[in-house]
Amino acid sequence: MLKAKNRWDVHEHHPEKMNELMSTLNLTPLVASLLLNRGIESADAADQFLHIEKHGFHDPFTLLGMDKAVQRIHSAIERGEKILIFGDYDADGVSSTVVMLETLASLGANADFYIPNRFTEGYGPNEPAFRKAHENGYGLIITVDTGISAVNEAALAKELGVDLIITDHHEPGPVLPDAYAIIHPKQPGCTYAFKELAGVGVAFKLAHALSGTVPEHLLEIAAIGTIADLVPLHGENRLIARLGIQQMNRTERTGLKALLKAAGADGKEVNEETIGFAVGPRINAVGRLETADPAVRLLMSADCEEAAELAVYIDGLNKERQKIVSQITDEAIEQVEALYPADQHSVLVLAKEGWNPGVVGIVASKIVEKYYRPTIILSIDPEKGTAKGSARSIAGFDLFANLSECRDILPHFGGHPMAAGLTLELKHVDQLRDRLNDLASATLKEEDFIPIKTIDAACSLADVSVESIEKIAKLAPFGMGNPKPLFLLQSVQVGSMRKIGSDQTHLKLAVEQDQKQLDCIGFGFGHLHDHMAPLAKVSIIGELSINEWNNFRKPQLMIQDLAVNEWQLFDARGSRDLNKTLDKMKDKENVYVVFQKETLSMLKDLGQEIVYLEDEGSAEKIKGKYITFVDTPTSIESLDALFENVFPERIYAVFHQHTDHFFATIPTRDHFKWYYGFLKQKETFDLKKHAEALARHKGWSSETINFMSQVFFDLEFATIDNGIISVNHQPPKRDLSESSSYSAKLRQLELENTLLYSSYQDLKKWFDDRMKQSKALVNA
């Protein structure tokens, strides 16, 4: 067997609903099943999802507070009042800032922006920034992608006589700020039809309301924040993402083109992965390492030279960010291993002085990926006596809800069920760790700490084609709430398998089923090559894609996990260097089983458990383990006895033997007849002196002479005394099979023929039959 690293949750399908979608909308079974998996069950909902462009945007004025906000902004524009856009330093905040700035500029507003410095000011509105805005004559502040928790700052703005309009999408707390207006789809009393907008989505709705029409030229900017902030890609988010991606593929924005070039994505088709893995991370990198202002200036730049310089600069910051993340991740792993073992902590809370607070969210994600535990990474500021950081969670543990249980020691926190940011006093870090672990222990079960992969459909190789994959692409863009589909190939035959890549860390499989074949690529799966036996039937989950090379297109599957659900046989028979062969098989799950005592003296210190089956309690030592058969058993019965209670997931067959019986001369009845006649003629024969000469004369081996002599002795056809064999002239009538030596020889030959000289398939079947018989007896 080869166990999967994740739990596999395969969606169940309802044939009636599938048939309805397929017949009404002319869909393939795979596409229909994917829609059902996303909770889209009616033909109308499916049509709206697949053709979201036809359905358009909701009326922005159905957002609570929109009327009041629009009136106030138009009033400020008419009076030439200074307006300050107060943004956030991530990709959502930067794109929100750009959307609002460009909208206000198009309306002739006197507007500027301010994004706080992550390191000196922290997240969200703050008192010094608001006081400075007041001093500089700003009468209206509009927050984008932030502000819903700014209760104190809203009170200050009111005291200063500055009107505050908050646009945000983060989870509202129990007390809302006393602002001039709040635009937030999740605020109490808001009946807006779509609640999952990103910060830039809310800003885009305000831009729509201010402009009187959908600001289509801002869709590519809105798509950046929507995709990068990992909000569910359905409803209006899907519309923004799809239209924005289409627009980005023909963009005329100087700054965006420069950024795509710096990311190595210019000239290529832009999709959600381009934004999620190239554009978004580079914009995020600016605010993670310094002030986010250059990212805003880049997206708004119309100057080619300026844009190129900013893009190169931002790309350099991203590379620096990657190095910092790698270093902090290594240090965080050291903390886990030394201080907070994952098997003893349901939640990992890691803190250290000097960790860059701008990247701790990325580090938290990497630690979750490694240990699959909710994780908080905190940067310690010893001068202030505080710890500030980010948290990432796993399915089943609502971060925001559980952090809310610790409000008394968390003066600042906010976020979502799966991600959050927080600041607390250094003296409360240990308390936070203990309390979160208690909360997690009360809600999470053991299986919750095994990553789960939700699989959209099990399919056969006959279902996989370039055409079917192209139809699946109609569901794009993929992301949160609309994940890239995962498919299961169940028990397909491995046709070929090899490691690939310069460092051999990747895996390429060709799997076969009903005369169909499919290439499967597993990045980072190269280590599994030695854990899959030839001809294994493997179950694979992964994403389907189209491989295009040299104008030839064919389907392939990108592996995300795999498993072999049957026991496996690994064939190492015929290996010349026993110790070298065994050294390659070292594994904590493996035990070396030895049948013959003389084998033990041959084995060097291999650092592996060796079980001699004659020792008391040996059977218990091999239960639940992989088994390596080091040498050949003395009888088939000894193997049968072993399988009475032991059913290994893997067998490594070495079967080293000290003597080779199979290819020695096997005496036939004619051999025995001639030799008996020879002995009758001689009456006595000195085996010690003349056996070798007789063997050469007949073209036999001396072992053949000695063996036949022993058989005659067993059958009382002759006597042997001190190497002299004497024939019995009146022997009893007996068959050769009555000789214990002859029977033992036949059994040994049969054993070697079965274990040593059979084909791989025959040996696998032989073990299969043995284990099935034993299991049947156990279950009887």
Side-chain angles (χ1 to χ4, degrees):
M1 294 184 76
L2 175 62
K3 293 178 182 177
K5 62 181 180 180
N6 303 286
R7 288 178 288 155
W8 295 3
D9 178 21
V10 184
H11 275 295
E12 294 184 6
H13 299 301
H14 305 284
E16 303 84 7
K17 293 179 180 179
M18 280 187 61
N19 289 334
E20 180 186 350
L21 291 181
M22 289 163 58
S23 59
T24 306
L25 299 176
N26 192 29
L27 303 177
T28 64
L30 282 181
V31 173
S33 66
L34 294 179
L35 290 168
L36 289 172
N37 293 347
R38 284 146 180 76
I40 302 168
E41 299 185 351
S42 69
D44 286 344
D47 182 70
Q48 182 171 345
F49 184 85
L50 294 172
H51 307 102
I52 188 71
E53 302 95 328
K54 296 191 307 183
H55 298 273
F57 290 93
H58 300 302
D59 181 355
F61 287 99
T62 57
L63 276 160
L64 182 65
M66 184 64 79
D67 281 326
K68 192 175 181 182
V70 169
Q71 289 172 8
R72 178 65 181 88
I73 294 169
H74 278 307
S75 175
I77 295 172
E78 290 170 7
R79 297 200 304 262
E81 192 175 356
K82 292 179 69 175
I83 303 173
L84 183 67
I85 308 303
F86 195 105
D88 188 22
Y89 36 62
D90 66 359
D92 191 13
V94 167
S95 54
S96 300
T97 302
V98 172
V99 163
M100 193 51 53
L101 276 174
E102 291 200 3
T103 299
L104 292 178
S106 69
L107 297 173
N110 180 10
D112 204 349
F113 76 98
Y114 185 88
I115 295 178
N117 186 293
R118 182 192 293 262
F119 306 98
T120 59
E121 298 173 80
Y123 171 79
N126 61 83
E127 180 176 335
F130 273 26
R131 289 191 180 277
K132 186 176 179 180
H134 175 253
E135 291 170 5
N136 290 335
Y138 290 96
L140 176 62
I141 298 176
I142 304 171
T143 72
V144 288
D145 189 36
T146 187
I148 198 61
S149 299
V151 175
N152 294 332
E153 289 77 13
L156 173 65
K158 199 165 190 177
E159 179 186 322
L160 295 172
V162 175
D163 286 337
L164 175 65
I165 295 174
I166 293 173
T167 76
D168 201 356
H169 74 122
H170 295 94
E171 291 295 326
V175 178
L176 296 183
D178 183 13
Y180 183 89
I182 296 176
I183 303 173
H184 192 309
K186 291 184 179 179
Q187 68 173 307
C190 184
T191 59
Y192 190 67
F194 185 68
K195 301 288 188 181
E196 305 295 336
L197 289 168
V200 72
V202 180
F204 187 81
K205 300 306 296 186
L206 178 54
H208 182 179
L210 287 168
S211 305
T213 183
V214 176
E216 294 183 355
H217 65 290
L218 296 174
L219 280 165
E220 58 190 339
I221 301 299
I224 294 173
T226 298
I227 292 171
D229 211 54
L230 302 179
V231 291
L233 289 188
H234 55 79
E236 279 191 311
N237 289 339
R238 176 172 172 79
L239 182 57
I240 289 170
R242 177 174 278 191
L243 295 178
I245 288 170
Q246 292 174 6
Q247 188 178 89
M248 200 177 293
N249 273 296
R250 57 179 187 274
T251 186
E252 294 299 322
R253 283 184 175 268
T254 304
L256 192 51
K257 288 197 286 187
L259 185 58
L260 289 170
K261 182 177 181 179
D266 60 321
K268 301 176 183 177
E269 182 182 1
V270 173
N271 56 27
E272 65 273 21
E273 292 185 355
T274 311
I275 296 173
F277 297 104
V279 175
R282 283 167 173 78
I283 294 175
N284 276 324
V286 187
R288 292 187 188 280
L289 299 188
E290 57 171 51
T291 176
D293 292 17
V296 175
R297 289 193 285 116
L298 172 64
L299 292 180
M300 297 186 69
S301 177
D303 183 285
C304 292
E305 188 174 334
E306 177 194 44
E309 289 179 2
L310 284 169
V312 170
Y313 174 67
I314 288 173
D315 186 59
L317 286 176
N318 187 55
K319 290 174 181 174
E320 183 182 346
R321 185 269 305 168
Q322 291 171 330
K323 292 179 182 178
I324 295 171
V325 166
S326 179
Q327 179 184 340
I328 297 176
T329 301
D330 290 343
E331 293 174 2
I333 290 171
E334 287 177 10
Q335 271 198 29
V336 175
E337 302 296 335
L339 302 174
Y340 311 108
D343 59 352
Q344 299 175 25
H345 289 77
S346 299
V347 179
L348 298 174
V349 180
L350 312 173
K352 187 175 180 180
E353 182 182 345
W355 282 352
N356 187 317
V359 301
V360 290
I362 303 174
V363 175
S365 295
K366 290 184 177 294
I367 297 301
V368 170
E369 185 179 342
K370 181 173 178 63
Y371 296 106
Y372 205 67
R373 296 285 190 279
T375 299
I376 299 176
I377 303 293
L378 298 167
S379 175
I380 294 174
D381 186 334
E383 293 183 4
K384 295 181 180 178
T386 60
K388 177 183 177 183
S390 292
R392 299 292 184 269
S393 196
I394 63 175
F397 190 78
D398 187 323
L399 261 182
F400 186 81
N402 282 283
L403 288 173
S404 296
E405 295 291 321
C406 307
R407 283 183 182 276
D408 55 309
I409 59 172
L410 292 175
H412 300 286
F413 81 96
H416 312 284
M418 296 299 288
L422 65 158
T423 301
L424 71 162
E425 292 184 41
L426 186 55
K427 64 182 180 181
H428 289 144
V429 170
D430 290 340
Q431 186 180 352
L432 178 66
R433 180 184 296 111
D434 293 341
R435 287 169 66 170
L436 288 176
N437 270 281
D438 289 342
L439 289 167
S441 298
T443 57
L444 295 175
K445 302 181 292 294
E446 186 176 346
E447 67 176 18
D448 291 324
F449 297 109
I450 302 173
I452 188 166
K453 291 283 188 183
T454 301
I455 300 164
D456 286 278
C459 62
S460 67
L461 295 194
D463 297 323
V464 179
S465 66
V466 169
E467 293 74 24
S468 65
I469 296 172
E470 287 175 336
K471 290 178 180 177
I472 291 168
K474 290 181 178 179
L475 277 72
F478 300 110
M480 290 292 292
N482 180 32
K484 205 164 187 180
L486 278 184
F487 295 97
L488 167 64
L489 302 176
Q490 186 77 49
S491 297
V492 290
Q493 191 78 52
V494 175
S496 63
M497 170 175 55
R498 61 190 175 94
K499 296 179 184 180
I500 59 174
S502 59
D503 52 0
Q504 300 287 282
T505 55
H506 311 307
L507 182 69
K508 183 172 184 179
L509 296 176
V511 296
E512 301 170 347
Q513 185 182 60
D514 299 331
Q515 299 182 329
K516 299 283 186 179
Q517 190 176 79
L518 179 69
D519 286 342
C520 304
I521 307 295
F523 291 108
F525 282 83
H527 64 287
L528 295 184
H529 177 276
D530 299 328
H531 295 270
M532 287 186 286
L535 307 181
K537 287 192 173 180
V538 61
S539 295
I540 307 174
I541 61 172
E543 298 174 356
L544 290 170
S545 63
I546 298 173
N547 179 24
E548 299 189 34
W549 184 79
N550 202 22
N551 294 322
F552 181 71
R553 306 171 80 226
K554 67 176 183 176
Q556 65 181 6
L557 183 132
M558 310 308 292
I559 301 171
Q560 288 206 9
D561 201 3
L562 54 79
V564 177
N565 296 315
E566 59 184 16
W567 81 272
Q568 295 192 87
L569 174 64
F570 295 85
D571 193 352
R573 295 174 295 176
S575 303
R576 295 186 178 183
D577 189 327
L578 177 60
N579 284 282
K580 188 175 181 180
T581 299
L582 295 178
D583 191 56
K584 293 179 180 177
M585 298 177 180
K586 282 198 289 191
D587 189 294
K588 65 180 180 179
E589 300 293 332
N590 200 359
V591 293
Y592 294 159
V593 172
V594 174
F595 293 94
Q596 302 174 41
K597 200 151 196 172
E598 64 180 302
T599 305
L600 292 173
S601 62
M602 296 176 58
L603 300 181
K604 297 176 181 177
D605 182 15
L606 297 169
Q608 190 76 23
E609 185 174 7
I610 300 173
V611 174
Y612 177 50
L613 281 189
E614 295 297 321
D615 289 342
E616 188 175 344
S618 59
E620 290 300 316
K621 294 180 180 178
I622 61 179
K623 280 186 178 179
K625 297 283 189 176
Y626 306 151
I627 293 179
T628 294
F629 289 121
V630 177
D631 55 7
T632 51
T634 53
S635 67
I636 293 290
E637 290 72 22
S638 60
L639 265 183
D640 287 340
L642 184 146
F643 285 122
E644 285 180 4
N645 295 301
V646 175
F647 308 104
E649 294 179 357
R650 296 186 196 178
I651 291 176
Y652 294 85
V654 180
F655 291 133
H656 175 81
Q657 61 175 171
H658 304 285
T659 56
D660 187 348
H661 299 271
F662 185 71
F663 287 113
T665 301
I666 303 173
T668 66
R669 290 186 179 274
D670 286 340
H671 289 108
F672 281 104
K673 183 178 180 181
W674 184 91
Y675 186 43
Y676 186 72
F678 171 80
L679 292 177
K680 281 181 71 174
Q681 190 177 28
K682 294 287 186 180
E683 293 198 357
T684 61
F685 184 70
D686 192 330
L687 293 171
K688 292 181 180 178
K689 290 183 178 179
H690 304 302
E692 191 171 336
L694 178 62
R696 282 199 304 270
H697 172 71
K698 294 296 292 181
W700 298 342
S701 66
S702 56
E703 287 82 4
T704 301
I705 301 293
N706 292 329
F707 172 69
M708 289 193 294
S709 300
Q710 184 62 43
V711 171
F712 287 156
F713 179 79
D714 290 347
L715 298 175
E716 299 180 2
F717 288 2
T719 60
I720 301 176
D721 183 21
N722 198 27
I724 305 295
I725 184 169
S726 303
V727 72
N728 182 354
H729 289 284
Q730 293 183 330
K733 289 187 177 181
R734 290 182 177 175
D735 189 75
L736 289 173
S737 60
E738 296 180 59
S739 163
S740 58
S741 299
Y742 187 82
S743 296
K745 177 81 170 180
L746 288 180
R747 287 196 300 273
Q748 183 66 30
L749 291 173
E750 180 186 1
L751 180 71
E752 293 182 13
N753 190 27
T754 298
L755 300 183
L756 289 174
Y757 306 110
S758 58
S759 67
Y760 176 90
Q761 292 91 331
D762 287 343
L763 182 61
K764 176 79 161 53
K765 183 179 184 304
W766 187 85
F767 276 120
D768 269 332
D769 293 342
R770 282 299 190 276
M771 285 194 264
K772 286 176 183 176
Q773 291 171 11
S774 296
K775 286 180 180 177
L777 290 173
V778 169
N779 297 326

